């Protein structure tokens, strides 16, 4: 239980088309992440799946059942919102139990499920508090707890971590990953942060301007991006894009090389250049250089390196790891 | 001048201005209250003086309580005001929710149409309203007043409330929908509590003109059983003689219920503001 099929989902607000034909298959128990820049329609797609917006056209099946006419509460889904969206006038316990209460579940059963979720999320000491008396991280855990209690076929997360600070974000990310392993539920998760996408997903769906650019496992997207958009979006720092003409490649239009696939040397190499700026991150050193052959180039070196601005260096790309794109910005296999 | 030095001066000026305004605003109330406790001669001889043992008199209040049915008038005023506020808040908030929450054809047009009443005074329609009330057999009933005042209060209420409701988080409403709350439950249990400060504001702005109105009670409900306080006071104002003691006493009494309602609403208003601030 918990599969999802989308067939040519379109959504327009007036004349503004936000989703331009989305096709997707999610298998039971999969962790699928929609990733894409802000405003590309990720939240809209999630709301369409939840039934909070009607699609302009297309079909949605949850567990093989067409849900167009099914209200959100009956779709067997639960949603976690970016802004937590806890009911301000209810205690943590009542926040988590409201959905079940509305569905007419017995009180004993509600108590049992709330207790189970709250112990899973270490919320036991806070059950009697109201949302205003909780920290941001605790509120987000309550929002997740509210979703768990419903025991849904499908979890929907809309950028659940973006209001948390960096440390808490990593911790909550781990909790969500653990939750997925433990509950074995199907999860659909929206984020604009490619790191979150890479670390959590079984399958990533890259969206851009309301259309799917590529679907694949994190390593598929990293190693075999289908086009320039995906190549540039996945991976940090961003892939270097070099006009192919400059490198004497007449077949391709653009050559892409990831910063970690370039070696630097003070003595010799393919492209001679000058260091512009260096970022020392401890585990990594990011060197920005200007070369005669390629223009601006970002290089990621592992460990600490003593390069300084204005140093003359030679960069050598790893030919096996380079990506070639045609005039339509599609990858050349 | 440094910012640090100018600040106390500016604060002092602001407070001066506020205090001056408060005095100006309170002066008529003060005058009314003070003179209502004086004898007729004292009112005319020294209108500004506080009552002294020799000028103190309760004759105004005695007249008010003995002549006419002032308790009844008060009751009428209260019924009309409270019922109108309740109707304005309920129907206004519902209309505002529909306008701010749902996308439908003609939404903007409907909003503008409903806001039109802010600019066009309802009294322009007095003749038509009177004809309508006569036809409906509602003349000399409190219902006629309540209906007119509800119509009068709605435009501003809808305008203010729909602006406020737009600020209520969509996520919260959507969370409610996923948990199976009906649209009514979302409106009453999630949205209304969050716009309580705006409701209090609307209540205050709606209440005062209704309580003070003389026009519609005079035209629609001048009968003895349906007189409101403002209309009742008129019987002490004659063409040749005016019983100032009674007028001032009646007005002083009329301030009280408004004051109570105002305190109730303004506490809500302040609570709403501060609870938002610490969130
Ligand atoms: N209710 C709405 N009415 C009109 N336009 C909307 C509405 N909701 C979203 N949009 C538009 O749809 C686009 C995608 O929005 P959204 O799905 O929230 O993007 P994302 O979540 O990827 O940042 C945006 O351009 C936004 O302006
Ligand atoms: Mg979004």
């Amino acid at each position: 239980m918990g599969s999802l099929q989308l067939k040519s989902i379109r959504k327009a607000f007036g004349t503004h088309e936000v989703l331009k034909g989305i096709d997707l298959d999610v298998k039971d128990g999969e962790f699928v992440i929609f990733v894409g820049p802000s405003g590309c329609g990720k939240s809209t797609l999630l709301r369409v799946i939840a039934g909070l917006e009607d699609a302009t056209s297309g079909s949605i099946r949850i567990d093989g059942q067409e849900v167009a006419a099914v209200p959100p509460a009956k779709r067997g889904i639960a949603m976690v919102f970016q802004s937590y969206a806890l009911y301000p006038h209810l205690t943590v316990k009542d926040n988590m139990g409201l959905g079940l209460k509305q569905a007419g579940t017995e009180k004993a059963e509600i108590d049992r499920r709330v207790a189970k979720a709250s112990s899973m999320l270490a919320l036991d000491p806070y059950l009697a508090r109201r949302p205003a008396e909780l920290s941001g991280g605790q509120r987000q855990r309550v929002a997740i707890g509210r979703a768990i209690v419903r025991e849904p076929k499908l979890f929907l997360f809309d950028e659940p971590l973006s209001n948390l600070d960096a440390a808490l974000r990593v911790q909550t990310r781990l909790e969500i990953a653990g939750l997925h392993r433990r509950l074995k539920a199907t999860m659909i998760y929206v984020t604009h942060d490619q790191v979150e996408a890479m670390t959590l997903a079984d399958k990533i769906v890259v969206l851009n301007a309301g259309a799917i650019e590529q679907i694949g496992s994190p390593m598929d997207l990293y190693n075999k991006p289908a086009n320039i958009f995906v190549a540039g979006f996945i991976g940090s720092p961003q892939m270097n894009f070099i006009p192919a003409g400059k490198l004497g490649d007449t077949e391709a239009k653009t050559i892409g090389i990831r910063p970690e696939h370039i070696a630097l040397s003070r003595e010799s190499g393919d492209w001679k250049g000058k260091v512009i700026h260096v970022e020392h991150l401890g585990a990594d050193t990011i060197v920005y250089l200007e070369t005669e052959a390629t223009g601006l180039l970002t290089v990621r070196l592992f460990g600490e390196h003593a390069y300084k601005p204005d140093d003359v260096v030679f960069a050598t790309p790893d030919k096996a790891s380079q990506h070639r794109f045609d005039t339509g910005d599609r990858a050349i296999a | 001048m440094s910012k640090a030095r100018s600040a106390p001066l500016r604060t002092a000026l602001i407070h001066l201005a506020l205090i001056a305004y408060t005095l100006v605003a309170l002066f008529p109330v003060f005058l009314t209250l003070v003179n209502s406790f004086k004898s007729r001669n004292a009112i005319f001889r020294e209108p500004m003086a506080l009552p002294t043992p020799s000028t103190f008199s309760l004759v105004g209040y005695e007249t008010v309580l003995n002549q006419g049915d002032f308790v009844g008038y008060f009751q009428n005023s209260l019924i009309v005001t409270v019922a109108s506020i309740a109707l304005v808040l309920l129907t206004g908030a519902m209309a505002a929710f529909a306008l701010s929450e749902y996308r439908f054809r003609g939404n903007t047009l409907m909003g503008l149409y409903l806001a039109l009443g802010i600019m066009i005074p309802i009294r322009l329609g007095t003749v038509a309203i009177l004809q309508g009330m006569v036809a409906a057999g509602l003349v000399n009933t409190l219902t006629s007043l309540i209906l007119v005042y509800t119509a009068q209060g709605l435009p501003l209420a809808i305008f203010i409330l729909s602006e406020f409701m737009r600020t209520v988080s969509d996520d919260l409403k959507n969370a409610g929908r996923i948990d199976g709350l009906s649209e009514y439950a979302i409106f009453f249990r999630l949205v209304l509590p969050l716009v309580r400060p705006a409701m209090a504001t609307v209540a205050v702005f709606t209440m005062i003109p209704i309580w003070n109105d003389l026009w519609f009670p005079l035209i629609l409900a001048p009968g003895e059983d349906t007189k409101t306080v403002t209309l009742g006071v008129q019987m002490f104002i004659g063409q040749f003689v005016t019983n100032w003691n009674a007028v001032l006493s009646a007005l002083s009494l009329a301030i009280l219920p408004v004051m109570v309602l105002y305190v109730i609403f303004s506490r809500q208003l302040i609570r709403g503001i501060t609870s938002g601030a610490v969130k």
Side-chain angles (χ1 to χ4, degrees):
Chain A
M1 47 159 269
S3 68
L4 170 77
Q5 285 93 39
L6 303 180
K7 277 219 181 61
S8 46
I9 297 289
R10 289 176 180 276
K11 174 70 188 175
F13 292 108
T15 54
H16 175 41
E17 193 162 47
V18 176
L19 298 177
K20 300 166 186 167
I22 303 284
D23 290 290
L24 181 67
D25 251 310
V26 178
K27 287 197 272 297
D28 184 31
E30 250 183 336
F31 200 133
V32 175
I33 294 201
F34 296 163
V35 68
S38 276
C40 71
K42 307 180 296 287
S43 299
T44 307
L45 182 53
L46 214 54
R47 286 204 301 271
V48 167
I49 296 172
L52 298 167
E53 299 269 7
D54 291 327
T56 311
S57 69
S59 102
I60 306 165
R61 284 168 180 276
I62 296 178
D63 264 353
Q65 186 208 351
E66 173 68 48
V67 292
V70 182
K74 301 255 162 69
R75 288 191 180 193
I77 51 146
M79 191 157 170
V80 177
F81 298 88
Q82 178 177 356
S83 59
Y84 318 138
L86 300 178
Y87 308 118
H89 59 297
L90 296 182
T91 61
V92 167
K93 184 163 182 257
D94 292 342
N95 258 285
M96 296 208 270
L98 184 69
L100 294 181
K101 197 169 147 214
Q102 290 297 122
T105 313
E106 274 174 46
K107 192 164 176 311
E109 172 70 5
I110 297 178
D111 286 347
R112 191 187 63 77
R113 290 211 220 165
V114 169
K116 191 169 142 213
S118 90
S119 76
M120 215 185 275
L121 293 163
L123 284 171
D124 287 333
Y126 311 111
L127 283 178
R129 295 205 196 167
R130 281 169 209 272
E133 302 161 302
L134 299 176
S135 72
Q138 289 163 345
R139 286 181 207 180
Q140 189 54 282
R141 292 218 300 282
V142 175
I144 293 172
R146 183 170 63 180
I148 294 175
V149 164
R150 295 174 58 87
E151 297 183 356
K153 300 180 204 164
L154 199 58
F155 279 90
L156 305 175
F157 293 89
D158 191 356
E159 310 215 14
L161 306 186
S162 53
N163 281 347
L164 302 179
D165 64 47
L168 215 48
R169 200 175 302 168
V170 172
Q171 189 194 330
T172 314
R173 201 165 77 198
L174 291 177
E175 272 178 39
I176 292 177
L179 214 58
H180 178 241
R181 272 195 299 276
R182 191 142 27 128
L183 300 175
K184 299 186 172 53
T186 316
M187 295 190 172
I188 296 184
Y189 185 109
V190 158
T191 177
H192 63 266
D193 178 357
Q194 53 105 9
V195 176
E196 256 170 53
M198 299 292 278
T199 51
L200 283 173
D202 294 326
K203 184 152 100 183
I204 297 181
V205 177
V206 182
L207 286 171
N208 184 30
I212 293 181
E213 295 280 350
Q214 189 175 359
I215 302 177
S217 73
M219 283 308 115
D220 277 348
L221 298 191
Y222 179 83
N223 291 321
K224 290 186 226 105
N227 52 47
I228 285 203
F229 180 83
V230 176
F233 197 81
I234 301 290
S236 167
Q238 213 192 22
M239 185 186 277
N240 294 292
F241 293 112
I242 304 160
K246 286 195 182 179
L247 302 180
D249 186 332
T250 50
E251 193 193 342
K253 179 182 161 226
T254 312
I255 303 285
I257 305 165
R258 295 199 183 276
E260 50 271 39
H261 295 148
I262 301 176
L264 276 195
S265 154
R266 290 189 191 274
E267 287 81 36
S268 64
D270 289 2
W271 304 326
K272 184 178 179 219
K274 201 172 72 174
V275 176
I276 296 174
H277 181 69
V278 185
E279 291 170 353
H280 299 283
L281 302 177
D284 297 335
T285 307
I286 314 287
V287 183
Y288 298 89
L289 41 125
E290 183 83 42
T291 71
E292 288 148 22
T294 65
L296 186 66
L297 207 61
T298 313
V299 178
R300 177 178 178 188
L301 303 171
F302 297 94
E304 295 171 39
H305 296 266
Y307 293 106
K308 295 187 304 297
D310 294 332
D311 284 359
V312 173
V313 291
F314 294 89
T316 311
D318 173 8
K319 287 278 183 332
S321 311
Q322 78 178 17
H323 303 266
R324 298 162 72 233
F325 301 97
D326 64 17
T327 48
D329 290 341
R330 286 179 299 268
I332 301 172
Chain B
M1 211 190 335
S2 84
K3 212 171 170 192
R5 270 189 300 138
S6 76
L9 184 67
R10 195 161 31 175
T11 316
L13 283 176
I14 289 172
H15 278 87
L16 210 65
L18 289 175
I19 288 167
Y21 177 75
T22 310
L23 289 181
V24 170
L26 284 182
F27 187 66
V29 178
F30 169 78
L31 217 55
T32 307
L33 275 176
V34 163
N35 283 306
S36 71
F37 288 105
K38 295 200 300 208
S39 66
R40 185 176 169 81
N41 283 341
I43 294 176
F44 282 102
R45 213 180 307 126
E46 277 186 287
M48 299 296 195
L50 292 173
T52 63
S54 63
T55 60
F56 181 82
S57 155
L58 286 175
V59 65
Y61 290 94
E62 282 159 17
T63 320
V64 168
L65 293 179
N66 293 333
Q67 266 189 38
D69 177 18
F70 256 79
V71 176
Y73 301 162
F74 262 105
Q75 208 177 327
N76 289 339
S77 274
L78 268 179
I79 290 172
V80 167
T81 308
V82 170
S84 303
I85 293 178
L87 279 176
V88 165
L89 287 182
L90 181 69
T91 52
M94 285 178 138
F97 185 67
L99 286 175
S100 64
E101 180 63 16
Y102 305 120
R103 286 188 297 271
F104 54 89
R105 195 186 289 273
N107 181 317
T108 320
L109 215 62
M110 181 74 91
L112 283 177
Y113 169 71
L114 288 171
L116 214 61
I118 299 173
M119 289 155 270
I120 301 175
I122 192 168
R123 289 177 191 194
L124 286 182
T126 302
V127 173
I129 289 174
L130 182 57
Q131 284 169 343
M133 292 298 174
V134 170
L138 287 175
V139 172
N140 269 331
T141 63
L142 295 181
T143 314
S144 66
L145 291 179
I146 292 170
L147 288 176
V148 169
Y149 290 141
T150 304
Q152 171 184 309
L154 273 178
L156 190 68
I158 293 173
F159 185 72
I160 293 179
L161 290 177
S162 62
E163 284 308 311
F164 261 78
M165 284 187 188
R166 267 182 252 281
T167 65
V168 175
S169 141
D170 282 338
D171 284 355
L172 185 64
K173 291 176 273 193
N174 284 338
R177 290 187 181 113
I178 286 178
D179 274 342
L181 296 184
S182 66
E183 294 297 309
Y184 285 97
I186 288 171
F187 172 71
F188 282 111
R189 283 161 60 185
L190 298 184
V191 176
L192 278 195
L194 290 176
V195 298
R196 212 167 50 189
M199 303 274 281
T201 312
V202 168
V204 168
F205 278 115
T206 311
M207 170 179 76
I208 310 265
I210 296 176
W211 184 267
N212 289 338
D213 192 38
L214 178 60
W215 182 262
F216 284 114
L218 188 60
I219 292 167
L220 296 178
E224 183 61 22
D225 289 345
T226 52
K227 261 189 194 161
T228 60
V229 166
T230 32
L231 190 54
V233 173
Q234 299 305 310
M235 76 181 173
F236 301 117
I237 300 179
Q239 194 175 353
F240 306 108
V241 204
T242 294
N243 187 344
W244 284 109
N245 297 74
V247 169
L248 293 174
S249 306
L251 289 179
S252 299
L253 289 175
I255 292 171
L256 280 178
V258 197
M259 201 87 136
V260 171
L261 285 179
Y262 184 82
V263 167
I264 293 173
F265 289 130
S266 63
R267 180 164 308 159
Q268 287 289 319
L269 203 144
I270 289 164
R271 189 189 300 159
I273 291 168
T274 49
S275 78
V278 295
K279 197 162 70 181

